[in-house]
Amino acid sequence: DPFFFFTNMKSILSSLFALSLLSLSSAHAQCHFPAIFNFGDSNSDTGGLSAAFGQAGPPHGSSFFGSPAGRYCDGRLVIDFIAESLGLPYLSAFLDSVGSNFSHGANFATAGSPIRALNSTLRQSGFSPFSLDVQFVQFSNFHNRSQTVRSRGGVYTTMLPEADSFSQALYTFDIGQNDLTAAYFANKTVEQIGTTDVPEIISQFKNAVTYIYAQGGRYFWIHNTGPIGCLAYVIEWFPLKASDFDSHGCVSPLNHLAQQFNDALKQAVIELRASLSEAAITYVDVYSAKHELFVHAQGHGFKRSLVACCGHGGKYNYNKNIGCGKKVTVRGKEIYIGKPCDEPDKAVIWDGVHFTQAANKFIFDKIAAGLRMACHRQ
C-alpha cells in the first residue's frame, strides 16, 4: 500500500529528525559557568582603576547604580550583562579590597590597560600600568593564594572560589584598543602600527591565553576591538583631512586599523585552538555590533551616535581637559561643566571614550546567543 509506505516513511523521518535534534542539543547542552575571570581595559573595568588611582566620580553609574560604581559608564558594561545572563553576581575588581566577594570570579581589567606594557606612567600617558602580562600575574597569584586562604575555613569559604571553579570558569577578554590608540597618539602611522605593532601585540596576547590554559583555564571568550575611528577622543586627537572620514563621520583609516588587528586576532584564535587541544575558544565580533550602532543609531532607538552624552563643548561634546563630571570653582562656588545629557539611554557614547549602558545592552544582545555554546569546542 503506497499510502501506508509513505505514512510510515514520514513517521520514521520525523523520528530520525527528532533524534538528531536531541543529539545536537545534548552534544551542545547549554553551558554553565560557576565563575568568570575577566581581563581587559575600561570596556570591562568594574572598579580596578578606581581602586588603584582614585574613584571614577559622578555622574558615572547614575543610570543604574545610583552612584559611581567603578565603571566609566552611566550604568552596566557588557561584562555586567554577561554575568547577569549566567546568573552570577557582578564581578568585583581584583584590585578593590573593600567589600569585594570573589566566590564567583574576579575582574583583572583596569581602564587604560594595553596588552603590551607601555614605557610610561599613568600620569604621563593616561594609560594603565596594569598591562595584560601584569593582569596574568595577578590572576596567577589569586589562583594560588585564594585556595590557601580558603582552606582556613569560615568566612573565607564564602568569599573565595572553590578549586574546581578555575577549570570550569569562563575566561573573558576585551583588550587591545589601547595598544592601537597609544601607538597612534605616539605619532606612528596607521601603516606602521599595522605592520610592526600588531604582530607583537597579538603574540603577547597568545602568550597570556596559553599561560592561563596552563593554569587550568579551558573556556575562553575573546572580544575583538571596536571601531576606534568613531570615538571622539581619537577623532579629536589630531587634525584630520575631510577625506579621512567616511559617510557616517568615522575615521576610515583608524577603523581599517581596528579591522586589521581583528583579522590578526581571529587568526591567533585559530592557532590557539590548534595548540590548546582541550580549550573551547570563542572569537566574539563586537566590532560589527558597535559599528552597526554608529551607522544605524536612529534605527535602533538612539538619538545621538558620535556625540558624547557627558562632556563639554565642541562638535562631539568632548574636551580632554573638561571630562565627564568635571567641576570648576568660580568665586568660591562649584559649577558642574562636564554634565550628562538628559537621555543617556538615547546616546551611544557616554563620555567620548566609552559606551552608554543602553549601547552596552545592545552590544550584549547581539552576542548573547554565543554564551550558551561557549563551553563547546565545536
Side-chain angles (χ1 to χ4, degrees), residues 108-126:
F108 301 92
T110 67
S113 285
I115 293 171
R116 289 192 302 180
L118 296 177
N119 199 13
S120 62
T121 67
L122 181 77
R123 298 275 185 273
Q124 290 169 324
S125 66

Side-chain angles (χ1 to χ4, degrees), residues 120-338:
S120 62
T121 67
L122 181 77
R123 298 275 185 273
Q124 290 169 324
S125 66
F127 291 101
S128 169
F130 299 107
S131 50
L132 185 56
D133 58 331
V134 176
Q135 293 181 25
F136 168 72
V137 171
Q138 291 173 335
F139 163 75
S140 183
N141 286 336
F142 177 83
H143 187 180
N144 298 326
R145 293 181 60 221
S146 64
Q147 297 314 293
T148 304
V149 174
R150 199 175 192 279
S151 66
R152 296 175 189 167
V155 69
Y156 297 115
T157 60
T158 64
M159 303 293 279
L160 294 166
E162 296 176 10
D164 57 4
S165 288
F166 290 91
S167 60
Q168 296 169 8
L170 184 65
Y171 290 83
T172 53
F173 295 80
D174 193 326
I175 194 165
Q177 177 177 316
N178 290 314
D179 294 271
L180 302 182
T181 57
Y184 177 61
F185 296 162
N187 288 323
K188 290 188 180 181
T189 66
V190 167
E191 290 74 22
Q192 282 176 319
I193 300 166
T195 54
T196 60
D197 291 52
V198 167
E200 187 189 332
I201 294 163
I202 293 295
S203 174
Q204 292 195 21
F205 180 84
K206 284 173 67 180
N207 288 343
V209 173
T210 304
Y211 296 153
I212 291 167
Y213 180 85
Q215 293 227 351
R218 289 298 178 264
Y219 309 116
F220 298 90
W221 177 264
I222 297 169
H223 289 189
N224 65 11
T225 204
I228 56 175
C230 300
L231 300 172
Y233 86 106
V234 182
I235 297 171
E236 290 279 17
W237 194 268
F238 290 119
L240 294 157
K241 303 186 298 290
S243 59
D244 290 330
F245 290 87
D246 64 19
S247 59
H248 309 291
C250 299
V251 180
S252 295
L254 289 170
N255 281 352
H256 291 152
L257 175 62
Q259 289 170 318
Q260 193 174 344
F261 172 86
N262 291 341
D263 289 343
L265 181 65
K266 194 171 189 177
Q267 181 58 37
V269 166
I270 292 167
E271 292 166 9
L272 286 165
R273 285 179 186 145
S275 61
L276 310 179
S277 60
E278 293 177 25
I281 309 176
T282 308
Y283 173 86
V284 187
D285 184 17
V286 295
Y287 180 99
S288 294
K290 290 178 177 180
H291 192 256
E292 169 66 18
L293 261 186
F294 286 119
V295 173
H296 298 121
Q298 291 186 334
H300 298 296
F302 292 85
K303 290 180 179 175
R304 51 165 87 191
S305 55
L306 301 177
V307 178
C309 167
C310 186
H312 180 82
K315 182 178 178 181
Y316 303 100
N317 194 36
Y318 172 79
N319 182 325
K320 65 182 178 184
N321 299 314
I322 306 173
C324 176
K326 174 84 170 183
K327 293 177 181 176
V328 293
T329 306
V330 179
R331 297 188 193 127
K333 187 179 178 184
E334 251 189 353
I335 299 173
Y336 210 175
I337 52 173

Side-chain angles (χ1 to χ4, degrees), residues 76-88:
R76 290 163 290 180
L77 310 176
V78 173
I79 191 67
D80 294 313
F81 291 113
I82 289 173
E84 278 183 15
S85 73
L86 296 177
L88 299 174

